[in-house]
Amino acid sequence: MSRVSEPSITVSHLTKDFGRVRAVDDLSFEVLPGRVTGFLGPNGAGKTTTLRCLLGLVRADEGHARVNGADYRSLKNPARTVGAVLEATGFHPGRSALAHMEIRADVLYGRRESQRCRNLLGFVGLGDAQKRRVGGFSMGMRQRLTLAQALLGEPDILILDEPTNGLDPAGIAWLREFLRSLADQGRTILVSSHLLAEVRQSVDDVVIVSRGRLRRAGRLGDLIGSGAAVLVRSPQTEQLRAALEQARADVRGSSPDGLEVRGLSMAEIGHRAHACDAEVHELRELDAETDLERLFLALTEGDGDA
Amino acid sequence: MSGLLRSEWLKVTSTRMWWVLFLVALGLTALSVIPAILLSGTADEFSLENPSMMRQLWAGIASASVIALILGIIAVTGEFRHQTITDSFLTQPRRTAFVTAKAGVQAVWGAILAIVVGGFGILLAIVLLPTQPHSPIDAGHVAGVYGAAILLFALYAVLGVAVGALIRSQVIALVVALLWVMLMEPLIVTFLPAVGKWLPGGGASAFLQSSPDLLPLWAGALLLLGYTMVFSAIAIRTTLQRDIT
């Protein structure tokens, strides 16, 4: 496993056109191991194309997308390094779930590994359906089978494209906890979604794209800090306002309702208040959820079929 | 490579398609052998007392060779049709290895098809021949045709893999292959025999030696291999490099 400081996924100046449409436009970002990174943007923002470039399925026009510093297609046994849960991964309708797993195991391990395949199918909740033909599977069952396939190689890097599609709320919660446990083992998790609310609870870092371009990348906490407002009430309102504005915060409102502060974390506001001898009677985050959603929309504004 | 071969093998045995194709091939063989014997009559040019009619009868055990071609075509185009190609390329990104493994496995399946179907045709003939007057069964010739059919089916299945890789679309590949084998090639062979013998079907006919004007068997085999190599090489550099979206 790579050291925490080294990114396991590097996307650098990635550009890809489909005909006259620019799907990905000079996109650069990094993904760190041991963290769950949300890859966010509206539908049509270029997320799937970026992930498919990363997996060697789509050829970049310019720039590159690499895993552990190498092109996917040059890795010796790539599915042992990277697991992928992609939307358009197909199954043969007349083939059983177990056979789909074993076909994969043959290539990854050089042998059938039937027991490992059965265990994994049981793990994702398809234990009773392993011998059934996939043609009769529901969307959620197909999604679980794709996940089992991705995990088969015990990869250090897991890439998931809209993995919650078709999963019920219990399945989504289960997946969230599972991805967290993988990240805690030091693995790299990159999960795409067009819904910020969906990954809000479960990601450490975010990469936000829109129209193929990077809008924001960093820790989720920093994003909240930059977007959400904090309410602070103090008898020394003007004194505090001056101190906060000096720290380049965006300050609105007045006593006795308190000040609405943006651009500083609660800790920083508390620190400024203490430094200027202002008494603090109330200090709380103002509906961060709504603010974050508003920020996300602002960042990805103007995209067509969001 | 052995894991890749096992994987490709399981891709075939884990669905029922091969079963269907085997049944169709058995049917085609029966349709070729049974009328050839039962309608052979006596003492005319179609009589089996005529050794050249006997040679045609035995060549009929290979009449389902087009099924071997279809076997190879479906092995590749089925992956594009059901989008299993995504996972195939994720686990083995090298296109040459992918095509080689598919070709290897399909060659074996083509050979198995010929063993089953050719054996069935020979048995059918041996059972039915006593009902008609016929010239003696030349065991050496029958064994030769049987062996040639096994090699032919194997090469045809591999050619199917190459054609499938080049065309990718299952429907188009099947239509093109069937039109070519059943319409274009017979026309060219009939009207331009000098060109016809250099086509894939000419290579195939060389195996059964049903006419004196054909290439020797070894040259027919090389011809089929040559077409396969050219089609595969083009596919690996072009159609198989296209984005998988």
Side-chain angles (χ1 to χ4, degrees):
Chain A
M1 219 160 287
S2 47
R3 281 182 295 127
V4 172
S5 55
E6 288 191 7
S8 33
I9 294 175
T10 322
V11 174
S12 174
H13 300 291
L14 188 71
T15 301
K16 175 69 185 180
D17 294 332
F18 287 116
R20 301 174 66 179
V21 179
R22 178 146 291 190
V24 181
D25 191 0
D26 196 31
L27 181 63
S28 301
F29 65 89
E30 291 178 340
V31 179
L32 299 172
R35 305 179 70 80
V36 179
T37 302
F39 189 30
L40 306 173
N43 292 328
K47 303 188 298 292
T48 297
T49 303
T50 302
L51 297 183
R52 285 182 172 258
C53 284
L54 204 47
L55 294 163
L57 295 170
V58 167
R59 215 168 261 277
D61 291 326
E62 278 168 58
H64 59 75
R66 292 190 175 141
V67 283
N68 291 340
D71 285 334
Y72 183 90
R73 284 174 68 165
S74 70
L75 296 174
K76 195 160 174 288
N77 195 346
R80 295 292 313 271
T81 305
V82 184
V85 176
L86 293 176
E87 275 193 290
T89 308
F91 302 109
H92 193 297
R95 189 178 282 149
S96 73
L98 182 60
H100 275 100
M101 293 292 285
E102 289 173 338
I103 281 168
R104 198 164 221 269
D106 274 334
V107 184
L108 267 56
Y109 293 98
R111 49 179 192 275
R112 199 132 290 172
E113 293 281 336
S114 297
Q115 196 53 48
R116 184 195 297 265
C117 293
R118 285 201 193 91
N119 291 346
L120 262 173
L121 287 173
F123 176 71
V124 299
L126 291 176
D128 296 332
Q130 58 183 18
K131 292 274 174 63
R132 273 173 51 195
R133 282 193 227 110
V134 176
F137 276 23
S138 70
M139 175 97 168
M141 291 169 83
R142 284 162 194 264
Q143 198 65 287
R144 287 165 189 271
L145 178 54
T146 316
L147 181 64
Q149 286 191 313
L151 296 174
L152 187 59
E154 300 184 331
D156 276 347
I157 301 170
L158 197 58
I159 293 172
L160 307 97
D161 195 8
E162 305 271 359
T164 53
N165 277 357
L167 291 185
D168 54 22
I172 293 174
W174 172 84
L175 180 66
R176 186 179 290 169
E177 272 184 41
F178 176 60
L179 294 182
R180 169 56 54 203
S181 72
L182 289 178
D184 289 345
Q185 293 165 21
R187 297 178 208 263
T188 308
I189 314 292
L190 179 61
V191 51
S192 87
S193 176
H194 63 283
L195 297 170
L196 175 63
E198 191 178 79
V199 294
R200 164 95 176 79
Q201 315 294 331
S202 52
V203 302
D204 305 303
D205 298 334
V206 287
V207 174
I208 299 177
V209 290
S210 156
R211 297 181 178 197
R213 292 185 147 268
L214 183 70
R215 300 293 160 177
R216 196 70 72 91
R219 290 165 179 264
L220 181 68
D222 295 345
L223 191 69
I224 294 172
S226 71
V230 173
L231 180 87
V232 55
R233 283 202 306 129
S234 162
Q236 292 87 27
T237 305
E238 292 315 311
Q239 196 177 324
L240 180 59
R241 180 201 296 276
L244 293 173
E245 280 176 347
Q246 211 177 4
R248 293 207 198 97
D250 170 18
V251 188
R252 290 173 217 174
S254 61
S255 188
D257 305 328
L259 301 171
E260 227 182 282
V261 187
R262 280 185 178 74
L264 286 180
S265 70
M266 283 204 287
E268 285 166 324
I269 294 167
H271 173 74
R272 299 284 165 183
H274 180 71
C276 74
D277 277 334
E279 206 175 308
V280 171
H281 288 177
E282 187 175 1
L283 182 63
R284 66 181 165 91
E285 216 165 75
L286 268 179
D287 201 4
E289 205 76 26
T290 319
D291 257 26
L292 190 61
E293 205 65 52
R294 208 184 295 145
L295 174 74
F296 178 63
L297 283 176
L299 285 173
T300 60
E301 212 166 23
D303 282 299
D305 55 333
Chain B
M1 196 56 174
S2 75
L4 201 53
L5 289 170
R6 293 166 59 99
S7 173
E8 288 299 334
W9 184 266
L10 184 55
K11 281 178 189 172
V12 179
T13 56
S14 58
T15 75
R16 290 176 297 190
M17 179 57 82
W18 70 272
W19 238 150
V20 175
L21 289 175
F22 269 54
L23 285 177
V24 173
L26 289 173
L28 283 176
T29 308
L31 279 178
S32 165
V33 172
I34 296 173
I37 296 174
L38 296 187
L39 304 178
S40 61
T42 52
D44 58 22
E45 57 177 320
F46 297 113
S47 167
L48 289 173
E49 287 166 297
N50 178 349
S52 85
M53 288 312 289
M54 279 297 270
R55 293 176 85 86
Q56 288 211 13
L57 170 69
W58 296 120
I61 67 168
S63 59
S65 57
V66 68
I67 300 296
L69 193 65
I70 292 175
L71 208 59
I73 288 175
I74 287 182
V76 181
T77 57
E79 296 239 27
F80 286 96
R81 183 177 165 207
H82 301 296
Q83 290 182 314
T84 50
I85 193 70
T86 304
D87 204 50
S88 296
F89 283 170
L90 281 178
T91 50
Q92 173 51 271
R94 285 189 297 278
R95 309 303 196 240
T96 308
F98 170 80
V99 172
T100 308
K102 269 232 184 305
V105 166
Q106 290 307 314
V108 175
W109 274 97
I112 294 173
L113 180 68
I115 291 168
V116 171
V117 167
F120 169 73
I122 291 169
L123 277 179
L124 208 53
I126 291 173
V127 168
L128 293 178
L129 273 173
T131 68
Q132 302 288 339
H134 61 88
S135 62
I137 297 173
D138 178 348
H141 176 71
V142 174
V145 172
Y146 193 26
I150 294 169
L151 183 56
L152 171 65
F153 278 47
L155 286 172
Y156 250 31
V158 175
L159 180 64
V161 169
V163 170
L166 201 55
I167 298 182
R168 302 210 317 180
S169 155
Q170 186 156 82
V171 175
I172 295 176
L174 288 177
V175 168
V176 166
L178 288 176
L179 278 181
W180 177 258
V181 170
M182 299 192 157
L183 192 70
M184 290 303 293
E185 231 166 24
L187 283 178
I188 298 173
V189 169
T190 307
F191 295 107
L192 294 168
V195 178
K197 70 175 176 182
W198 295 101
L199 298 175
S205 307
F207 278 78
L208 309 168
Q209 298 295 312
S210 48
S211 139
D213 197 29
L214 296 162
L215 300 171
L217 192 149
W218 62 267
L222 281 182
L223 187 64
L224 281 180
L225 264 183
Y227 278 109
T228 301
M229 297 297 277
V230 170
F231 289 167
S232 317
I234 296 173
I236 287 166
R237 275 162 194 76
T238 59
T239 47
L240 293 184
Q241 297 294 340
R242 283 194 209 141
D243 293 339
I244 307 292
T245 53

